[in-house]
Each structure stands twice: as structure tokens, then as C-alpha cells.
Amino acid sequence: MLRLYCRYFSIQLKSALEYKVSFLLTALGQFLVSFAGFLSVFFMFQQFHAVDGFTYQQVLLCFSVVLSAFSIAELFAAGFKGFSHVVSNGEFDRIMLRPAGTLFQTFASRIEFSSVGRLLQAAIILAYAVHTSGIRWTLREAFLLLFMILCGTFLFMGLYIIYAALCFYTIEGLEFMNIFTDGGREFGRYPASIYGSSILKFLTFVIPLACFQYYPLLILLGKSRRFLYAAAPVSCLVFFALCCLFWRVRVNRYTSAGS
């Protein structure tokens, strides 16, 4: 299965690089669009020294973790973003006839290489935040940071899977899901606690964005010593598994939309 995915990856990379100027301009566009999010944080901290006890560098660390996770998920799970067209034109019928799993085929069907522009910006901000946040970095802290990004990636992938699975009900994509995907990226600019207790609970127990963005951040910054906070990102993996289960249930009940 891994060899097959690498084959898909290689074919799509060659296709994306066929028009190099177009690819570079699209990636640059992604970089500049997401740069507006960074500027909003920068200009706000020109007026305020801290937000809910978090400094500028600490907020950038939070922001870069979410942006990194979102960018990686968008890169590899782009096949789910345009899934409504796959259902509406009957192409999913062909997917079901192939021996590989439908979830795998959808993952491999489209890789959004232009997202590297957004990912590059996330890497630059993350490098700056790691250097200036005042954290004494050891192997444990470095592992926790990478674990936050990894689990966040699975969270956003899970949201994309839900979006695609809902297309089996509606044929067309539901735009309200952007509240949780693009909206999650926007909310993730700042630690989840600044939005109030109700939003924090929602982002903990319903869409566990705070479980990889906020709680382990408290451990990194020395604001908490609770071990459960360091383990909180695991809930994103559970969320992803539930999303895959929801996908499987919907595929088992799929009836052709025709062409």
C-alpha cells in the first residue's frame, strides 16, 4: 500500500511541476494569503503586551503549531475537499470497483502541493517562536511539540473526512464545515482559553482542537504540570479513528448518484 501511495505521489508531483511557474505562483499565493493571519497577530501585539497571560512569542508558537498541522492536512487530504464532485458525477462508483480501499484511494487521489507555501510560512514562524519563546528545550519538549503537530494534522484530516462523508447525504459539499477546517485554523491563532469557557469546552469535547493546541502548550510553557495535558493530543487520534468509522458506515450505505 505504501508503494502504491508513493506511486500516486510521484505522478502528481510530476504533474504539478509540469508548469513550474504556475506552481510557484500558486504556492507564493498560499504563502501571502496566510501571511495576513500572522500580520493580524503582529499588529495586535503592537497594542497589547499579552493576551490572557500569553506573550507574543508564546502566541506565535501556538499559531505556528496549528498552521503547520492544517497545512500538512491540506497537503495530503485534499482529495476530500473536492469530494462532492466525485459523488455527483458518479466517479465514486468506479472507486468502489477497485481493489484498494475507498479511504486510501480518496487520500491518494489528490495531493495539494501548493500548500507547501503555507507550510513554509508555518515552519519559519515555528522556528522563530521556538528560538524566542523562552522555553528550555530538551528532548521531551521537542517530542511534545512534534506530537502536537502530528495529532493536529490527524484532527484536520478527520474534519476533511467528515466533510466528504456528509457528501453521501447531500451530494453537494456543506460549506458550514469550513467553520471547523478553515475556522479552526483561524481560531488557532490564539490559545483557546481566550475565547471563554464555553468555546474551550466545545474545542475540548466536541472538536478537540484545544487538545493539541492549548493543553500541551501549557506544559511547554511551564504553566501547568498535569500529565494529562501532555497526553491530551491523543484524543485527536481517537477523533480521527471515529471519522474513519463514520466514513466506512456511509460507504456501506452508499447508493449511486449516477452520472
Side-chain angles (χ1 to χ4, degrees), residues 26-188:
T26 305
L28 178 62
Q30 290 274 24
F31 181 93
L32 294 177
V33 168
S34 57
F35 191 66
F38 164 75
L39 288 179
S40 69
V41 175
F42 174 79
F43 286 124
M44 193 193 73
F45 274 93
Q46 298 302 302
Q47 303 296 324
F48 304 98
H49 297 294
V51 175
D52 197 30
F54 293 90
T55 66
Y56 172 61
Q57 289 79 12
Q58 292 170 347
V59 168
L60 282 186
L61 182 62
C62 172
F63 172 68
S64 60
V65 165
V66 175
L67 186 60
S68 298
F70 177 86
S71 301
I72 297 171
E74 187 179 47
L75 175 67
F76 291 105
F80 295 97
K81 293 176 63 178
F83 190 74
S84 59
H85 300 293
V86 176
V87 175
S88 61
N89 64 17
E91 186 179 343
F92 190 72
D93 294 28
R94 289 190 296 170
I95 290 177
M96 294 189 69
L97 293 175
R98 296 168 184 162
T102 57
L103 193 64
F104 169 81
Q105 289 187 67
T106 308
F107 261 114
S109 64
R110 181 183 170 194
I111 302 171
E112 194 69 59
F113 288 103
S114 61
S115 294
V116 297
R118 198 193 310 263
L119 184 58
L120 175 61
Q121 182 188 149
I124 293 172
I125 297 174
L126 181 63
Y128 173 78
V130 165
H131 181 67
T132 61
S133 60
I135 299 173
R136 184 175 177 274
W137 293 98
T138 64
L139 189 61
R140 183 183 65 178
E141 280 75 20
F143 175 80
L144 180 57
L145 180 64
L146 293 175
F147 188 55
M148 291 165 64
I149 295 173
L150 174 65
C151 293
T153 300
F154 277 100
L155 171 69
F156 284 114
M157 283 184 174
L159 290 172
Y160 282 129
I161 291 173
I162 290 178
Y163 170 83
L166 290 175
C167 293
F168 290 125
Y169 290 104
T170 61
I171 306 299
E172 296 296 329
L174 297 176
E175 293 300 321
F176 84 90
M177 283 299 299
N178 291 332
I179 297 173
F180 306 113
T181 52
D182 295 329
R185 182 195 67 209
E186 298 301 312
F187 267 88

Side-chain angles (χ1 to χ4, degrees), residues 154-244:
F154 277 100
L155 171 69
F156 284 114
M157 283 184 174
L159 290 172
Y160 282 129
I161 291 173
I162 290 178
Y163 170 83
L166 290 175
C167 293
F168 290 125
Y169 290 104
T170 61
I171 306 299
E172 296 296 329
L174 297 176
E175 293 300 321
F176 84 90
M177 283 299 299
N178 291 332
I179 297 173
F180 306 113
T181 52
D182 295 329
R185 182 195 67 209
E186 298 301 312
F187 267 88
R189 294 179 187 175
Y190 305 98
S193 61
I194 74 167
Y195 302 112
S197 60
S198 297
I199 297 296
L200 181 59
K201 289 177 181 178
F202 179 83
L203 296 178
T204 300
F205 300 108
V206 182
I207 307 295
L209 186 143
C211 292
F212 83 90
Q213 180 248 32
Y214 174 65
Y215 297 112
L217 181 68
L218 297 179
I219 299 292
L220 284 178
L221 299 177
K223 294 179 179 290
S224 175
R225 295 183 180 275
R226 295 185 180 181
F227 172 77
L228 285 178
Y229 283 3
V234 173
S235 61
C236 297
L237 303 180
V238 175
F239 179 81
F240 177 78
L242 292 175
C243 294
C244 292

